[in-house]
Amino acid sequence: MTETKAVKSEQTRALIVETALRLFRERGYEATTMRAIAKEAGVSVGNAYYYFGSKEELIQAYYDELQDEHVAACRAVLAAERDFAPRLLGVLRARVDTMVPYHEFAGKFFKFAAEPTSPLNPFSAESGPARESAVAIYREVVNGSNLKIDEEFRKELPELLWLYSMGIVLYWVHDSSPGCRKTYLLVERTVPIVNKMVTMSRIPGFKSVTRELVGVIREVRA
């Protein structure tokens, strides 16, 4: 009975998220209420609030699901490649692959996610779990590769790669090319540049610069 209830509960939760995303696309994020989501999903308002305390929590659930899809899509390339550049390229391509179906929706709620004080902001405390999960993927990209770099720089590189990926996401939101072709092109053209910059960090003349960069990152973070 307990297992059956758990399955039903997860199905209800998934239905609410799916319904919310559809209504956000059709009516816009601001115009969609929790009451409307509950009605469309065929559940009571109280039941909807039982699973999600606000619309913002529904978006966080979307972030989490999208991140889970990305992690699953990365597995093949991370298992097959040891070189840093192919690993990074595969992970970023997978990121775009998983985002493309939500392109129209992302454009509609981006203005809310871009607000610095919004819980939907990827840098907010509320987005922390999804952010940490995303950084973890880039940590796997680095630590699972045969990359030889300064140990202190290695510790900071995953977060830098996540910030780089956020730049890709920002471009993708505004990409109107068919199938987001230009976003894929941006990934393909910039990964070799990032690879060169990272591998150059171990050259004696660049080590001091890398250490200064690590110092700046840690000072800003503190």
Side-chain angles (χ1 to χ4, degrees):
M1 286 293 292
T2 302
E3 185 176 346
T4 301
K5 285 182 179 179
V7 171
K8 186 176 180 181
S9 177
E10 186 57 36
Q11 290 174 340
T12 301
R13 187 180 187 278
L15 175 62
I16 293 171
V17 173
E18 181 183 342
T19 302
L21 294 181
R22 176 171 59 81
L23 292 181
F24 291 157
R25 286 194 298 268
E26 294 173 358
R27 306 179 186 180
Y29 176 76
E30 204 166 25
T32 301
T33 65
M34 287 293 286
R35 183 174 295 276
I37 293 168
K39 182 179 179 181
E40 286 286 322
V43 301
S44 68
V45 176
N47 203 15
Y49 274 111
Y50 171 79
Y51 289 97
F52 301 98
S54 65
K55 291 192 296 182
E56 287 79 7
E57 288 188 16
L58 280 160
I59 296 297
Q60 293 301 332
Y62 157 70
Y63 284 167
D64 292 341
E65 287 188 10
L66 190 61
Q67 184 58 32
D68 288 344
E69 289 178 25
H70 182 217
V71 170
C74 292
R75 285 295 151 228
V77 68
L78 291 177
E81 296 287 353
R82 287 281 290 150
D83 289 342
F84 172 71
R87 287 171 72 84
L88 179 59
L89 179 62
V91 165
L92 287 172
R93 278 178 175 164
R95 180 64 170 161
V96 181
D97 288 344
T98 55
M99 293 191 305
V100 165
Y102 303 98
H103 190 251
E104 183 179 354
F105 166 59
K108 289 182 178 179
F109 86 87
F110 175 72
K111 64 179 181 179
F112 301 102
E115 174 61 42
T117 59
S118 170
L120 302 182
N121 190 299
F123 297 93
S124 70
E126 292 84 353
S127 297
R131 182 171 61 250
E132 288 302 317
S133 179
V135 173
I137 282 292
Y138 295 102
R139 188 172 295 113
E140 192 172 343
V141 168
V142 174
N143 293 339
S145 74
N146 52 18
L147 193 62
K148 293 179 174 60
I149 55 175
D150 180 81
E151 193 57 36
E152 293 304 306
F153 182 45
R154 177 183 291 273
K155 291 177 184 177
E156 303 299 335
L157 185 54
E159 189 167 349
L160 290 173
L161 293 175
W162 174 72
L163 290 171
Y164 161 51
S165 76
M166 292 304 296
I168 299 292
V169 172
L170 178 60
Y171 183 86
W172 166 78
V173 168
H174 298 280
D175 184 5
S176 59
S177 63
C180 299
R181 179 184 59 82
K182 289 186 178 180
T183 302
Y184 285 103
L185 182 63
L186 180 65
V187 169
E188 291 170 7
R189 293 291 188 269
T190 57
V191 164
I193 298 172
V194 171
N195 182 51
K196 287 178 183 177
M197 293 173 65
V198 170
T199 53
M200 283 175 64
S201 70
R202 66 174 180 258
I203 298 174
F206 288 90
K207 281 186 177 180
S208 61
V209 176
T210 302
R211 286 169 185 160
E212 285 182 28
L213 174 60
V214 170
V216 169
I217 293 168
R218 291 177 177 176
E219 186 176 351
V220 170
R221 185 190 294 141

